[in-house]
Every structure is written in structure tokens, then in C-alpha cells.
Amino acid sequence: MDFVIAPSSFPSFLNRDNIPSSAGIFTLTRFSTVTFSYDHRCPRGCRSRRIPGCSRIKCSRRRDMDSSKSATSPEISKPKILTGPGGYVLEDVPHLSDYIPDLTCHPNPLQDHPAYSVVKQYFVHVDDTVPQKVVVHKDSPRGIHFRRAGARQRVYFDSDEVHACIVTCGGLCPGLNTVIREIVCGLYHMYGVKKVEGIDGGYRGFYAKNTVHLDPKVVNDIHKRGGTILGTSRGGHDTSKIVDSIQDRGINQVYIIGGDGTQRGASVIFEEIRRRGLKVSVAGIPKTIDNDIPVIDKSFGFDTAVEEAQRAINAAHVEAESIDNGIGLVKLMGRYSGFIAMYATLASRDVDCCLIPESPFYLEGPGGLFEYIESRLKENGHMVIVIAEGAGQELLSESMQSMAQKDASGNKLLKDVGLWISQGIKDYFSKQRKMPINLKYIDPTYMIRAVPSNASDNVYCTLLAQSAVHGAMAGYTGFTSGLVNGRQTYIPFNRIIEKQNKVVITDRMWARLLSSTNQPSFWNPKVSMEDKGNEEEATELLDNGICGEESPRFN
Ligand SMILES: Nc1ncnc2c1ncn2[C@@H]1O[C@H](COP(=O)(O)OP(=O)(O)O)[C@@H](O)[C@H]1O
Ligand SMILES: O=P(O)(O)OC[C@H]1O[C@](O)(COP(=O)(O)O)[C@@H](O)[C@@H]1O
Ligand SMILES: [Mg+2]
């Protein structure tokens, strides 16, 4: 039985919501006769017979497409790029209606919500976008924009129809539990969605474990705890099995919380879902304390990690100050990006030297680290060094037997630079300089990421989670919810996974650090000229947008 309702019979607010011309009428389709056996599942993800929006003709036509379970389809969706006057570019995110025609939509239930209905203009205008760069010149082109996140006037899921799942992958990060909590509560309290499941233990949990029931009662207090109540893992990623599991369980909204590796995985999952023609929204929430995800202002949990790192730096300073020629050495996380070390150093003001993966350094000779340590000790009697775990790895490889080991996700396993440099400093001063020093090495690595998120990260996590929920309900898919210039946006996966965010050492922020520590830049003009990749973009973090101008040069 099909119902076709003309727009005039809908509440008037719907007509104001820039309904695309292709959706000139709303089609409420209901069918009662078609059945799908396990082997002939409805490729749109509905295993029940009575899910609106899944017409018999289209489902049976699409059944053929489902016969191949291969996740290696060459059909990768093209980026959705829209251009406008003045050099305006919108890097848009996919929508379920891009590949599923005649989807039904409904008025957003938030219009009747006691909290939100009083907000003037609560719904985001369909044309709202956020610029990637806010510092422009008079004649600059308008540049790249992302779709603004937030609740839309119409949604593409009926609340009763939604079956959501949440998964957390990769390393821990403060705030994971808050994001889980706010997705569950957002779905329940804003949209009346009751079916939410947690995937146990990362991606492999989709096919290797049972799911965990989630509701507001279960998640009520979890934001006060570190870690993730769902568990996490690296590796174990089989796209076909994951999408089979999504389809078998009848899941139609997938919330994936994780770092760069996870978002790469999410992008492949989205492509496979699209290839199978399923009505399943895939929403990513970027997670990493390393802050190595590009485009976004910063990742959640980063502030908490920097705050926690202060405790280790303070301890190192107290220890170093208390003895003659005291050196406090602190190793912080940061595999490829030194943001935590840089911000912890800038925040502390007690640090004399910060070493990060992006800034190569050398130990001996004029302008080297050992010479600087000696001068600081002679001048001050003590010093504090902060080193990111990924710093100086090329020096370690030279002096240790190279073992290119990787973790289950394919990330390079690093050698312990903290122990190595501690030994190097001790050997240099005792053997070559015959100068007694007292070195205390503090390794708080896991302590800074296992803590619960602080107040500001909790609010940030809430906004990211709610944005993801609004986006999925509005039918967007293949997107990551992220903060761009202080506004919540939907960013296409291809932009999130194309490269890693790194500290740009020719940028103002690194200059601020150098001027705060007084350390040598270890800058070698020849090496820097060769390092073209680093010159293009300014460091993306807390720089109030002013770092997007020309990168200044130092030395
Ligand atoms: N290039 C990739 N393509 C698809 N999936 C990936 C890729 N890299 C990592 N993954 C998957 O994402 C998950 C987490 O990745 P990992 O690198 O460990 O953490 P993070 O997401 O925090 O960077 C793992 O289960 C892994 O299998
Ligand atoms: O020991 P583990 O769990 O693999 O985690 C160590 C890694 O996790 C991180 O904190 C973050 O990495 P991800 O963002 O990839 O999870 C790195 O800085 C660190 O090298
Ligand atoms: Mg990673």
C-alpha cells in the first residue's frame, strides 16, 4: 500500500525548509507482502517486512547487487564538491538520498521538544556552511567550506526505525565515555530512539563478540571514568564481515569513534555500505590525543592530556631544582605529531627544551643538544626537557639495530627515545665532560590518556556527539563530526584521512615555543628546504586563526 502526500498537507514549516526539487512530494511507502530470507536480505538494511521507505520493487532489484560480499569494489564515491561565486567551494558530505532514491523524510521531532522548541532558529539552515580559513584578504577567494552541523527541519529516519550502534577503536583518549554517553542520550532524549547498542572491543567486536545494550541509565555516570566502557582494539579489521554484521543485526546508524586509522576504516565501511545500497548512516567522531587529525581545530581529550602532562613536568622540575646539575626528563605521547609536547611545554613555562618528531635535532657538536644542556646547567643549575615519543627516532635507528616493527593496525612501533636519550646524556657528561649530573626520567605516557576528560573537553565531547546524531538523523553519511574555526561541521572522510596534522616548525606557534624555552632550533636550512611538505599549512590548533597567514621563517 503506498501513500503519497502532497507538501501542502505537511506542517507549513516543512515547506520553508528548502526541500530539494527532487523531493517535491513526500512518499510514505508501506508494504506488507515482501519477505527477505537471511540469504536474501533487504540490501537497504531492513530485515523486517514493514519498514517504511523500502519499496518492494527497489529492494528486489537491488538484491542482485548484494550477491558479492567483496569489500574491494573499485566504485569509490567521488567527493561532493560544489562551487559558487567568488571562489566559494563546498566540500560536502554524502547523503543517503545520493544513492537511495525516494527516501521518505519526516518532520524533526525536536520541533515539539520542550527544551529546543523555544530556541529561535534552532534548526540549521540547509545552506549554512563554515569556512575552513577565517583569515582572508580583501581580494581572497571565498575558499573551502564545510557543511554546518546541527539539527535539520526534516529527518530521514523515523525514531522507531532507528537501530544505532557505537564503536570505539584505537588508543584511549580522555572523553571517549562522554562521547558514548552523549550519543546515547542525544538519540534517546532528542529523537526518542530506544535501540542503541555498543560494539564490544573495537572493529573486530562487530563480528567476534556480542553487543552491549546502551540506554541513558547504563551510561549515566560513565563520563566520570577514563577509558571506554565499550573497550577498544587495534587491527582486526575486516570490512566485509563488519558490514555483514551491520546488515544482519539490522543496524542503520553507525557511530565510529576513533583516530586517523579508525576514520580510514570508517571510510571503507561507508563505501561498502553504499556499494550494497544500504540505508545506513556512518558517522565518525575524531579521537586522538596526538591531535594528528587534519582539518579540525583540535581533537577532544587533547586539553585534558596537556593538563595531566603538567603534573609530570611539575614533578620533573621539582626534582631537577632540588639537586646540583639536576635534569628532569619527561616523555610524552606523540607518535608522529608533537602537539602534546609543544602545548604542555608552552603551558608549563618550566621547560628548557622540547623535542618533537617534526623538528629534527642532533646531539653533539656546536648548536647540538648536549652543548645546550651544558650551558643551561652552568647558567641555572638545573633544566627540564620534554620529549615526544616519536622525536629523534632516526637517531635511534642509527645507533640501535633497526627493527621495523608494527602494531596490529600497522602503526610503527617506536623505540623508547626517553631511555635512549637519558643514557646518552648520562654517558656524555660522565665520560666526555667528566661533569656530574643528576638525571630523573619520568614516563607518564599512559597516565595522560587514561584519565577522565576535564570540564571543557566534556562540553566539547557533548557537541561532537550531538552533531553526529543530528547529522545521521538528517540522512547524512560518510562524514566526521568536527570543529572548524569554533563551529561544528560535517567533514567528508576523504578530507580527514588524506594526511596527518603535524606541528609546522616554520609557523608562529613553534616560534612561540622556541622563544619561551630559549632552546636552539636545530634548524638546518638545507634540510628544511628539502622538507617541502611542511611548508604548506600552518599548525592547526588554538591559534585563533591567525596562523593561517604566511608562515614566517626563523634563523
Ligand atoms: N588504513 C586503514 N584502513 C582501514 N582500516 C584501518 C586503517 N588503519 C587502521 N585501521 C583500523 O582502525 C582501527 C584503529 O586504528 P589505529 O591506527 O590502531 O588507531 P587510531 O584510529 O586511533 O589511529 C583498527 O581496528 C584498524 O584495523
Ligand atoms: O600502546 P598503544 O595502546 O598502542 O598506544 C600508543 C599510542 O597511542 C597514541 O597515544 C595515540 O595513537 P592513536 O591515536 O593511533 O590511538 C600514540 O601517541 C601512542 O604511540
Ligand atoms: Mg592513529
Side-chain angles (χ1 to χ4, degrees):
M1 206 185 299
D2 287 355
F3 300 96
V4 178
I5 299 182
S8 56
S9 53
F10 265 74
S12 57
F13 77 88
L14 263 178
N15 293 331
R16 290 199 303 270
D17 187 21
N18 294 0
I19 307 237
S21 50
S22 60
I25 53 170
F26 296 91
T27 311
L28 298 186
T29 311
R30 208 173 62 177
F31 62 95
S32 53
T33 52
V34 68
T35 51
F36 294 101
S37 71
Y38 181 82
D39 291 322
H40 295 97
R41 287 165 293 204
C42 166
R44 290 183 185 180
C46 69
R47 298 179 69 213
S48 134
R49 296 190 220 166
R50 292 171 64 85
I51 291 182
C54 191
S55 76
R56 180 173 16 165
I57 293 169
K58 290 198 172 68
C59 286
S60 48
R61 251 197 227 141
R62 285 176 168 269
R63 197 180 297 160
D64 310 336
M65 294 169 55
D66 199 29
S67 55
S68 156
K69 296 258 176 61
S70 159
T72 53
S73 162
E75 289 172 47
I76 300 295
S77 59
K78 291 199 181 80
K80 273 172 85 176
I81 309 223
L82 280 90
T83 54
Y88 173 90
V89 178
L90 168 61
E91 296 207 6
D92 206 358
V93 293
H95 192 274
L96 292 170
S97 59
D98 295 348
Y99 63 92
I100 307 176
D102 307 326
L103 271 183
T104 53
C105 59
H106 317 267
N108 191 326
L110 278 172
Q111 65 176 317
D112 304 317
H113 193 288
Y116 298 103
S117 56
V118 294
V119 180
K120 230 177 166 186
Q121 269 208 332
Y122 182 71
F123 294 119
V124 165
H125 191 280
V126 78
D127 284 338
D128 280 359
T129 58
V130 177
Q132 185 176 17
K133 283 210 158 87
V134 288
V135 177
V136 289
H137 298 168
K138 188 159 58 70
D139 302 320
S140 304
R142 291 174 67 198
I144 294 169
H145 292 66
F146 298 107
R147 194 165 278 286
R148 184 182 174 195
R152 266 53 188 176
Q153 281 193 332
R154 58 206 170 94
V155 292
Y156 280 78
F157 288 93
D158 193 30
S159 303
D160 296 337
E161 169 198 355
V162 175
H163 183 175
C165 77
I166 306 172
V167 64
T168 51
C169 311
L172 291 182
C173 176
L176 281 165
N177 280 334
T178 313
V179 176
I180 296 168
R181 183 188 191 279
E182 296 310 320
I183 292 172
V184 175
C185 292
L187 283 166
Y188 258 74
H189 299 316
M190 294 195 292
Y191 288 100
V193 170
K194 301 278 185 293
K195 260 172 115 178
V196 189
E197 289 181 81
I199 304 297
D200 189 353
Y203 275 141
R204 73 167 68 103
F206 270 106
Y207 48 87
K209 293 198 179 178
N210 288 329
T211 55
V212 182
H213 167 76
L214 297 173
D215 63 35
K217 240 181 169 172
V218 173
V219 299
N220 189 40
D221 279 336
I222 63 171
H223 60 295
K224 295 170 191 162
R225 281 183 250 157
T228 157
I229 56 155
L230 298 177
T232 185
S233 64
R234 298 193 189 274
H237 181 242
D238 183 325
T239 304
S240 287
K241 283 190 186 172
I242 290 171
V243 180
D244 285 350
S245 160
I246 289 168
Q247 212 172 342
D248 290 349
R249 294 176 200 269
I251 290 167
N252 51 21
Q253 291 188 2
V254 185
Y255 296 92
I256 300 176
I257 312 169
D260 56 340
T262 306
Q263 302 300 318
R264 271 186 201 100
S267 166
V268 188
I269 291 168
F270 157 70
E271 291 295 344
E272 178 61 8
I273 283 172
R274 184 183 157 279
R275 193 189 68 79
R276 295 190 193 183
L278 306 177
K279 187 189 174 188
V280 178
S281 278
V282 180
I285 295 104
K287 168 254 39 154
T288 166
I289 52 164
D290 289 357
N291 198 52
D292 55 6
I293 296 183
V295 184
I296 60 172
D297 292 353
K298 66 173 166 172
S299 45
F300 73 81
F302 177 79
D303 279 356
T304 307
V306 168
E307 209 169 289
E308 199 59 24
Q310 300 304 295
R311 287 149 57 92
I313 295 174
N314 285 344
H317 187 229
V318 169
E319 288 286 344
E321 236 185 358
S322 312
I323 32 176
D324 277 346
N325 288 340
I327 300 174
L329 176 74
V330 179
K331 185 180 80 170
L332 295 175
M333 277 194 174
R335 196 187 269 135
Y336 307 109
S337 308
F339 286 101
I340 297 177
M342 176 166 85
Y343 273 80
T345 297
L346 277 165
S348 151
R349 304 281 161 178
D350 285 333
V351 179
D352 302 277
C353 188
C354 172
L355 302 168
I356 59 170
E358 296 88 337
S359 177
F361 62 93
Y362 54 96
L363 302 176
E364 299 192 46
L369 181 66
F370 292 156
E371 182 191 80
Y372 175 59
I373 295 176
E374 190 169 342
S375 73
R376 288 306 288 160
L377 292 180
K378 285 184 174 151
E379 212 175 301
N380 250 7
H382 72 276
M383 82 177 291
V384 175
I385 303 171
V386 164
I387 188 160
E389 63 178 336
Q393 288 293 317
E394 65 289 346
L395 299 178
L396 268 92
S397 303
E398 278 169 22
S399 67
M400 289 168 130
Q401 214 185 12
S402 182
M403 295 172 293
Q405 286 183 337
K406 294 195 168 165
D407 71 13
S409 296
N411 300 302
K412 209 165 51 181
L413 277 178
L414 303 177
K415 298 175 193 93
D416 191 335
V417 72
L419 281 178
W420 173 80
I421 208 159
S422 301
Q423 199 52 52
I425 294 169
K426 283 178 190 164
D427 286 350
Y428 175 79
F429 284 100
S430 65
K431 291 177 189 159
Q432 295 194 37
R433 307 298 299 160
K434 310 276 183 241
M435 179 178 160
I437 57 152
N438 274 295
L439 189 144
K440 300 283 168 11
Y441 172 40
I442 299 179
D443 180 356
T445 308
Y446 292 101
M447 293 175 71
I448 68 166
R449 72 173 201 187
V451 290
S453 46
N454 67 13
S456 85
D457 270 327
N458 268 338
V459 175
Y460 183 23
C461 291
T462 304
L463 295 180
L464 285 170
Q466 290 190 354
S467 295
V469 167
H470 290 314
M473 289 301 295
Y476 291 113
T477 181
F479 70 87
T480 297
S481 151
L483 201 66
V484 174
N485 293 314
R487 309 307 291 253
Q488 292 288 330
T489 65
Y490 299 136
I491 305 161
F493 281 145
N494 63 296
R495 283 304 306 275
I496 289 289
I497 62 179
E498 70 185 357
K499 62 176 182 178
Q500 274 179 324
N501 189 30
K502 292 194 183 230
V503 173
V504 179
I505 59 164
T506 50
D507 182 26
R508 289 185 179 84
M509 216 55 194
W510 188 243
R512 288 179 188 118
L513 180 134
L514 293 181
S515 84
S516 127
T517 59
N518 269 320
Q519 71 191 68
S521 71
F522 307 107
W523 192 72
N524 178 338
K526 196 163 163 276
V527 173
S528 295
M529 287 298 282
E530 284 161 9
D531 189 11
K532 290 258 162 56
N534 251 359
E535 289 180 31
E536 283 165 13
E537 270 181 47
T539 305
E540 303 253 13
L541 193 72
L542 307 173
D543 204 12
N544 302 324
I546 50 172
C547 63
E549 302 167 51
E550 280 172 53
S551 288
R553 300 240 143 252
F554 306 108
N555 288 14

